Amino acid sequence: EGTEQAVPQAHLAARIVGRWPSGAPLVQAPDRDDPSLATSNDFGYFREDRDGLRCPLGAHIRRTNPRDSLDPKPGSQASIDIGNRHRIIRRGREYGNLLTPEEAIAGDDSPRGLYFACVNANIGRQFEFIQRTWVNNPKFNGLYDDRDPLVAAQPGGSLTIPGLPVRTRVTDLP
């Protein structure tokens, strides 16, 4: 049985993305940001975080690069091969000033956001597949009703954060 409760803002943002503001992955730094891991990409999910207790199963990075966590046999080379078949090279770069909570409440609409660039060899097999099958799929990786909380084409998104003894479900994400 899950609960719906408040999650600290910095922790919620990290769980939505799967990385802390520095870029440190939650799989390697689950409790606090560790800037020394900012560029770390040498990790998997199956052995390190099979149940999503460090990085939620529906987090953006787990969906867009599931690494070794998918069928036919999670944790195997076959699983890694599936992920690599659909892998893209991507980079995001911020522009504008960081939005503070006070500015958000006041409705500040200054220009800010993220430039996204992606390189792939086959747009259908890579980018479109990731969007359709992993990002917008509410049943991705054993979930029930969660799409990617960061970029899915849906209003009022949700994120299930696994936990012991119970999970937390955050709903109505803008």
Side-chain angles (χ1 to χ4, degrees):
E1 187 75 23
T3 62
E4 291 195 23
Q5 61 188 32
V7 177
Q9 187 175 6
H11 285 238
L12 177 58
R15 276 145 185 75
I16 286 171
V17 175
R19 290 185 182 268
W20 290 99
S22 73
L26 291 178
V27 169
Q28 296 174 323
D31 300 318
R32 69 188 65 77
D33 200 349
D34 182 350
S36 71
L37 297 171
T39 59
S40 179
N41 274 314
D42 188 18
F43 60 90
Y45 296 115
F46 184 75
R47 285 180 186 79
E48 292 86 344
D49 190 28
R50 180 180 320 192
D51 299 321
L53 294 171
R54 293 172 170 230
C55 179
L57 298 173
H60 179 69
I61 69 166
R62 280 188 94 129
R63 286 176 172 274
T64 57
N65 186 0
R67 300 171 188 264
D68 63 346
S69 65
L70 298 180
D71 286 333
K73 186 178 176 200
S76 71
Q77 185 60 47
S79 179
I80 293 168
D81 292 345
I82 293 292
N84 285 343
R85 176 169 168 71
H86 303 290
R87 195 161 176 196
I88 60 176
I89 297 171
R90 73 199 98 209
R91 288 293 173 262
R93 294 292 178 251
E94 301 172 2
Y95 67 90
N97 295 324
L98 181 66
L99 179 66
T100 66
E102 296 77 24
E103 291 169 332
I105 291 168
D108 184 315
D109 62 353
S110 300
R112 61 175 59 86
L114 185 72
Y115 291 112
F116 172 77
C118 146
V119 177
N120 55 241
N122 181 312
I123 195 163
R125 187 184 78 228
Q126 293 167 289
F127 182 79
E128 290 175 357
F129 176 91
I130 291 169
Q131 290 297 113
R132 180 180 59 250
T133 308
W134 294 342
V135 166
N136 287 312
N137 181 356
K139 301 196 185 322
F140 174 80
N141 207 10
L143 296 170
Y144 175 70
D145 189 29
D146 289 1
R147 290 172 176 83
D148 186 314
L150 185 64
V151 299
Q154 69 170 11
S158 60
L159 176 67
T160 300
I161 303 171
L164 296 172
V166 297
R167 69 180 186 259
T168 300
R169 184 158 168 81
V170 181
T171 59
D172 298 321
L173 293 168

